[in-house]
Amino acid sequence: MLKQLYIKNFTLIDTLDIVFRPGFSVITGETGAGKSIILGAISLLLGQRADSKTIKNGTNRCIIEAHFDLSNYDMSRFFTDNDIEYDAEDCILRRELTSSGKSRAFINDTPVSLNQLRTLGQQLVDIHSQHQNLLLQEEDFQLNVVDIIAKNKQRLNECKQQFKAYQQAKKAVEDQEERIARTRENEDFLRFQLNELADARLQAGIQEELERNSETMSHAEEIKSALYESENILSGNEHSILTQMKDSSRLLDDIRKVYPDIGECSDRLASCYIELKDISQELYSHTQNIDYDPKELEAINEQLDHIYSLEKKHHVQTVEELIEIQNEISRKLDQIENSDEELEELRNAAQERLNECLEVAEQLSEHRKAAIKSIEKEMVDRLIALGIPHVRFQIKMEDKELQADGTDRISFMFSANTSTAMQPIKEVASGGEIARVMLSLKAMISGAVKLPTIIFDEIDTGVSGKIAERMADIMKEMGQHNRQVISITHLPQIAASGSSHYKVFKEEGDKGTISRMCELNKDERVMEIAQMLSGADITKAAKSQAQELLKQKQNRKE
């Protein structure tokens, strides 16, 4: 709970350092004294966006700091998850603003983001201001109230996770349907491309082979003539190279016996003869194989032109790249053929996710139905006690399309008397009635949620007398069981009920108007409540009435 609040240079506050007490406390003060300024400072500390205009005139820096005691609340996980030092007895939140527009936030002296500050702040303090009564008109708020009291947090989280999984599965189906539609629009074109590539009879190295064949056939006569003449020189007549080498080899071989030194030359010459004879035979073979066929050359060139055209069309340089494109097109066509099966699998998966989500949503509905009966009874009891003797309150639950929070639409139905049919509360309840409904709901919620500090900002608007006393009793009851309730009020009946009483007031000085806040002692409380009863001129009767009111309230069982 909130132990201490320190504010420096915030709007009309120069320095404020105030200690808060456990239980039920009240804050009073004239209109415009600065109560809303203090609430604004606390809101900034809880993560509200800052405006440099809130810095006190003539200063460059504003500091808001609060100390909380978390001993009775298990909040260590937040600090562990965010790598922040945890001190249960003294948790410090600090916000600093500068006139240049910069804002910094700290938790236990560790710099944190605004989102981290807001996340922790929501677990520490609930500020209920008058405009929050408008929340009662929103379906989401009404559903949230039921879920809090039904303790549906875990089921809600599970439903949200299942709904997210269903949405993802549903998106996968939609994406697949879109892909199928898109690819089927291109199916004819893909098949045309595949046939065109198949006609080219593509295989690795085919382009180089065709280019060589084309080059060879285009110069067939030239090649054949060169081969014939080369072969003829080697072995074509009696004076050919091979004939002469043979004769030379024979002559050398004849003198080997009488001239052994010539043996090596004779062997080498014989080896050359064998090599040249082999070359001559290969040349002859090549000569026979070279043939000019105009039709074959035309076919080769046509196939090459086809390949060149495909490479240009697909913006590639090699046949290997064309083969990869051909394979990719084949894969796409296979996918088209198999897409219906894949789509059916995705649809089945989406249906499974939907069924799982609907199952959790049904469990949520059952728990809501069970909680609604007890909520309706307790609300009627509380509202009768708060001065609406003929109240009728009912929670209407209807079906809606599946969403992350289930399939239920919640409406609070209300009638303040027996002669008027129940209608949605936003259409029939007066401001005072809505204030009493909200206080009753907050009291029920506080019993279900361990929130350390609740601040009510003039929730008593539109009520007085005995009803105000009963509202004070509810807030005092809420302030028990390790919980702190602070009420900003204009009603003496509520002010007298507080275990602690703080006053906000203005002072005029050399530096202009300054807002201040202090805790009142017993005598000061009497004077403050007397002023609330009689106005600026405090009469003896008002003073006596204030003393009696305080005596009555303080003698009540805590």
Side-chain angles (χ1 to χ4, degrees), residues 92-106:
I92 306 171
L93 273 63
R94 187 168 79 254
R95 188 88 182 268
E96 297 180 2
L97 313 177
T98 65
S99 56
S100 63
K102 291 182 180 179
S103 169
R104 296 195 301 168
F106 302 85

Side-chain angles (χ1 to χ4, degrees), residues 53-300:
K53 294 178 182 177
T54 58
I55 298 175
K56 191 175 187 299
N57 286 335
T59 63
N60 297 319
R61 187 163 168 255
C62 161
I63 299 174
I64 305 165
E65 182 176 289
H67 294 248
F68 292 87
D69 183 353
L70 309 181
S71 302
N72 295 309
Y73 305 90
D74 183 13
M75 294 190 178
S76 58
R77 182 170 179 177
F78 171 86
F79 295 86
T80 302
D81 291 346
N82 291 276
D83 195 23
I84 299 172
E85 183 180 351
Y86 180 54
D87 184 345
E89 295 183 356
D90 190 25
C91 174
I92 306 171
L93 273 63
R94 187 168 79 254
R95 188 88 182 268
E96 297 180 2
L97 313 177
T98 65
S99 56
S100 63
K102 291 182 180 179
S103 169
R104 296 195 301 168
F106 302 85
I107 299 175
N108 292 339
D109 290 326
T110 300
V112 295
S113 67
L114 196 59
N115 187 56
Q116 288 173 304
L117 188 70
R118 188 182 299 116
T119 299
L120 180 59
Q122 289 172 348
Q123 300 176 54
L124 295 177
V125 181
D126 175 27
I127 299 178
H128 181 90
S129 57
Q130 288 186 59
H131 77 270
Q132 273 197 309
N133 288 339
L134 297 175
L135 290 174
L136 198 54
Q137 303 177 11
E138 299 178 4
E139 288 182 9
D140 288 349
F141 173 78
Q142 296 177 18
L143 181 62
N144 191 40
V145 167
V146 173
D147 281 330
I148 289 173
I149 296 173
K151 300 187 186 312
N152 274 336
K153 183 177 180 180
Q154 184 174 343
R155 295 181 194 89
L156 262 177
N157 289 336
E158 186 179 352
C159 190
K160 288 174 182 177
Q161 291 172 1
Q162 296 284 10
F163 185 74
K164 183 179 180 181
Y166 165 61
Q167 291 288 84
Q168 291 172 339
K170 185 180 175 184
K171 179 70 164 53
V173 171
E174 292 169 354
D175 289 347
Q176 178 70 354
E177 289 174 339
E178 185 179 336
R179 276 194 299 270
I180 289 174
R182 191 168 57 249
T183 53
R184 281 186 174 159
E185 285 178 3
N186 296 329
E187 184 176 2
D188 290 341
F189 178 62
L190 288 173
R191 293 199 182 280
F192 168 77
Q193 285 186 313
L194 185 63
N195 292 335
E196 193 176 42
L197 289 163
D199 288 343
R201 302 187 300 278
L202 300 173
Q203 53 185 302
I206 186 68
Q207 181 175 339
E208 292 79 3
E209 182 182 343
L210 289 171
E211 287 173 342
R212 285 196 303 271
N213 291 342
S214 176
E215 186 74 10
T216 299
M217 198 165 288
S218 297
H219 298 83
E221 291 300 327
E222 178 184 346
I223 294 169
K224 196 163 187 174
S225 176
L227 290 171
Y228 175 78
E229 288 200 22
S230 295
E231 191 268 335
N232 193 50
I233 291 171
L234 287 174
S235 61
N237 54 61
E238 59 183 10
H239 300 295
S240 66
I241 292 174
L242 282 173
T243 300
Q244 294 183 50
M245 284 186 73
K246 186 177 180 181
D247 290 344
S248 177
S249 179
R250 180 177 50 79
L251 291 171
L252 292 178
D253 192 51
D254 287 346
I255 63 172
R256 287 181 70 150
K257 290 181 181 180
V258 294
Y259 186 47
D261 290 348
I262 204 63
E264 184 182 350
C265 287
S266 177
D267 291 340
R268 288 168 63 192
L269 184 59
S271 177
C272 288
Y273 172 78
I274 293 170
E275 179 68 16
L276 282 175
K277 186 177 181 181
D278 187 57
I279 291 172
S280 175
Q281 290 172 347
E282 282 196 33
L283 291 175
Y284 177 78
S285 177
H286 280 296
T287 303
Q288 299 304 308
N289 290 334
I290 296 297
D291 192 18
Y292 173 69
D293 185 343
K295 290 184 178 180
E296 186 179 352
L297 179 59
E298 183 180 359
I300 290 172

Side-chain angles (χ1 to χ4, degrees), residues 321-364:
E321 290 173 296
L322 285 177
I323 292 172
E324 181 55 39
I325 291 171
Q326 183 178 6
N327 292 337
E328 178 61 26
I329 293 173
S330 293
R331 283 193 290 270
K332 287 182 179 179
L333 289 170
D334 288 341
Q335 287 175 355
I336 293 173
E337 291 177 0
N338 298 326
S339 57
D340 287 338
E341 292 179 13
E342 294 177 11
L343 179 60
E344 188 61 26
E345 290 177 4
L346 289 172
R347 283 174 174 163
N348 290 337
Q351 186 62 47
E352 287 180 15
R353 301 292 85 74
L354 175 60
N355 292 340
E356 291 167 354
C357 191
L358 287 172
E359 185 177 344
V360 177
E362 187 176 350
Q363 294 173 10
L364 265 176

Side-chain angles (χ1 to χ4, degrees), residues 528-544:
E528 175 67 7
I529 293 171
Q531 187 174 20
M532 294 173 76
L533 287 165
S534 65
D537 297 325
I538 301 175
T539 64
K540 287 185 178 181
K543 194 173 176 181
S544 176

